[in-house]
Amino acid sequence: MSMRSWVDYLYLTVGGTLSNGGVGGMVFQHGPMVSSVLELDVITGKGEMVTCSPELHSDLFNGVLGGLGQLGIITRARISLRPTPAKVRWLRLFYTDFDSLTSDQEFLISLRDTVGFDYVEGQVLLNHQQVDDPNFFSIEEAERINQLTAEFNAMYLLEVAVFFDSTSLVDQKVEGLLQRLSFVPGFAFSKDVSHLEFLNRVYTEEEHRKSSMAVDPSKIRHPWLNLFVPKSRIRDFQTGAEGILQNINPTGVVLLYPMNRNRWNENMTVVVPDEDVFYSVEFLWTSTEQDWKNLEAGNNEILGFCHRQGVQAKQYLAHYKSRTDWMEHFGEVKWKRFMQLKQTYDPKALLSPEQHIFTN
Ligand SMILES: Cc1cc2nc3c(=O)[nH]c(=O)nc-3n(C[C@H](O)[C@H](O)[C@H](O)COP(=O)(O)OP(=O)(O)OC[C@H]3O[C@@H](n4cnc5c(N)ncnc54)[C@H](O)[C@@H]3O)c2cc1C
């Protein structure tokens, strides 16, 4: 059996991921990891062990999911599972046009689960970034893609997957779906892998990246910025961010893919934009000790751009330092509820003080 919605990287704790949300390419269909939770055991800040669920102590249950470790420590989670598929057909399709990428992504996440892909993500390949993933592309394929990248200023990648047990059915399904997409003709690549190989793909890529770096991996910094951006402003956001990043020339991965808001539970603490469809935009920078400050400055410029232009983005894995910023992040209703829950379950503010939400 397997979870319905997986994060991209597996080497995280269950409790830590549930205290944020747990996002990845299956969220559009099954919601974030928190949406599949049936029951939790939580040790609250008062030292009480409470079993909670949507029916039992539901305020604590909803509060802890996405609750940034503020209300209690999760010691057990019962999560809804489904049968593990035998195989995964994993595809990567290339685009030279941002609007074609996003309209295809939005079309794909609007499909019912039986007819569409099981996983939808995407990437922005910055500054003629070369494709270098021998676990997915052959040498000839990588050369062909890199030639295309050299010709165009911008390149985008749509990453999708179908989970399957029977090869004949998957061929038909994928063929039908590809006909409806507008990637660059001839630039669709696919591979059949085991379910585990697919779920572990980021770790495998990361190991390859580390082995080909000239720098000692322990000296590498990760000044990441994760944002949820409303669909109505994704084009403006992309233009603004691209302009800012041109001057910085960063290295790393930029993920960009849409999600359906109706797969998120409004009662949980996790915060998302107020629009039916929003994008997860993840700037996963890799930097040396010397240049991480430049990247942090770039991240702040992107946040400043959103603020000035009224792009109502919400940070995922936010690192605010002031209570005012946290209040703005949560919005009036959620902030009030979160404060009340904190008073009830951790009145001495003992838990996760490093978040600077109730302790500064
Ligand atoms: C390499 C990497 C890849 C990632 N990929 C993804 C991804 O694909 N999708 C995604 O959604 N997120 C991703 N994240 C973010 C990840 O979900 C958070 O960083 C999460 O907090 C990790 O939990 P941890 O316990 O492993 O980390 P820790 O650093 O040990 O914990 C971080 C915080 O989580 C809270 N916490 C931890 N354990 C518990 C618990 N048992 N109960 C309550 N609160 C707890 C606490 O506030 C703690 O301070 C990634 C992070 C990294 C470093």
Side-chain angles (χ1 to χ4, degrees):
M1 299 295 276
S2 166
M3 283 200 304
R4 290 162 196 279
S5 190
W6 285 88
V7 289
D8 290 333
Y9 185 74
L10 304 184
Y11 304 86
L12 308 165
T13 72
V14 173
T17 306
L18 293 180
S19 76
N20 284 289
V23 303
M26 298 159 221
V27 170
F28 74 95
Q29 200 171 90
H30 299 290
M33 221 167 110
V34 285
S35 296
S36 298
V37 179
L38 303 171
E39 187 180 86
L40 295 171
D41 281 350
V42 177
I43 301 175
T44 69
K46 286 181 172 171
E48 291 163 344
M49 164 76 96
V50 183
T51 298
C52 55
S53 70
E55 292 79 36
L56 189 68
H57 303 294
S58 59
D59 61 336
L60 181 62
F61 178 80
N62 289 322
V64 161
L65 294 170
L68 305 170
Q70 292 299 318
L71 309 176
I73 298 166
I74 299 165
T75 55
R76 183 181 66 90
R78 195 151 70 83
I79 299 179
S80 163
L81 303 177
R82 68 174 186 185
T84 305
K87 285 281 203 184
V88 177
R89 179 152 307 167
W90 176 17
L91 295 101
R92 286 175 169 173
L93 321 174
F94 288 84
Y95 291 72
T96 53
D97 173 48
F98 184 75
D99 293 334
S100 303
L101 171 81
T102 51
S103 72
D104 279 359
Q105 286 179 318
E106 286 167 23
F107 159 67
L108 290 173
I109 69 155
S110 73
L111 296 175
R112 278 183 300 111
D113 54 353
T114 44
V115 289
F117 287 112
D118 294 297
Y119 161 97
V120 177
E121 284 202 6
Q123 283 185 33
V124 178
L125 304 177
L126 294 166
N127 303 326
H128 303 282
Q129 185 182 325
Q130 301 270 296
V131 162
D132 171 29
D133 183 1
N135 297 304
F136 191 93
F137 299 110
S138 68
I139 295 174
E140 295 74 31
E141 285 171 345
E143 272 175 14
R144 210 152 65 76
I145 297 161
N146 290 333
Q147 269 170 17
L148 184 74
T149 308
E151 276 175 47
F152 288 86
N153 262 337
M155 274 282 274
Y156 309 95
L157 183 160
L158 173 63
E159 185 168 63
V160 286
V162 181
F163 303 157
F164 69 98
D165 295 311
S166 144
T167 313
S168 60
L169 290 178
V170 78
D171 288 345
Q172 218 178 1
K173 183 175 185 179
V174 169
E175 192 53 37
L177 284 165
L178 290 187
Q179 277 171 12
R180 301 176 72 178
L181 303 180
S182 24
F183 54 91
V184 180
F187 283 85
F189 303 89
S190 91
K191 191 177 165 181
D192 288 357
V193 291
S194 72
H195 191 234
L196 183 60
E197 207 181 322
F198 177 72
L199 295 181
N200 206 25
R201 66 197 177 281
V202 172
Y203 174 79
T204 313
E205 280 164 31
E206 189 58 21
E207 287 302 293
H208 168 69
R209 207 170 295 136
K210 274 197 231 158
S211 69
S212 52
M213 270 182 173
V215 198
D216 170 2
S218 69
K219 299 262 178 334
I220 291 173
R221 298 287 170 266
H222 296 289
W224 290 356
L225 175 65
N226 295 268
L227 291 173
F228 293 146
V229 180
K231 170 187 147 175
S232 64
R233 302 300 303 276
I234 193 65
R235 191 69 177 95
D236 302 333
F237 176 85
Q238 164 66 8
T239 310
E242 233 170 53
I244 293 166
L245 296 174
Q246 247 165 25
N247 306 324
I248 299 171
N249 202 14
T251 10
V253 175
V254 181
L255 297 182
L256 183 140
Y257 57 95
M259 306 176 176
N260 295 309
R261 189 162 179 265
N262 63 8
R263 296 289 184 267
W264 295 69
N265 182 337
E266 187 46 38
N267 294 323
M268 291 175 182
T269 308
V270 59
V271 178
V272 297
D274 193 11
E275 224 168 85
D276 289 348
V277 172
F278 59 88
Y279 278 77
S280 182
V281 186
E282 304 168 28
F283 298 103
L284 307 176
W285 305 134
T286 306
S287 81
T288 59
E289 280 179 85
Q290 287 78 42
D291 67 0
W292 73 267
K293 282 205 165 140
N294 272 345
L295 289 170
E296 288 259 309
N299 290 346
N300 286 333
E301 262 193 73
I302 291 173
L303 292 173
F305 167 83
C306 291
H307 200 70
R308 283 192 307 279
Q309 299 298 319
V311 177
Q312 306 279 327
K314 291 290 179 189
Q315 277 198 59
Y316 179 63
L317 312 171
H319 297 289
Y320 294 117
K321 291 274 181 281
S322 82
R323 186 174 291 205
T324 322
D325 285 342
W326 280 112
M327 285 164 72
E328 197 181 319
H329 170 76
F330 281 105
E332 206 180 326
V333 175
K334 278 209 166 174
W335 174 251
K336 207 168 150 204
R337 190 163 69 205
F338 199 34
M339 279 220 305
Q340 282 165 353
L341 289 169
K342 185 75 176 174
Q343 268 306 312
T344 309
Y345 292 107
D346 183 28
K348 294 189 178 162
L350 300 176
L351 297 170
S352 297
E354 77 285 358
Q355 308 263 7
H356 303 286
I357 303 178
F358 299 101
T359 44
N360 47 14

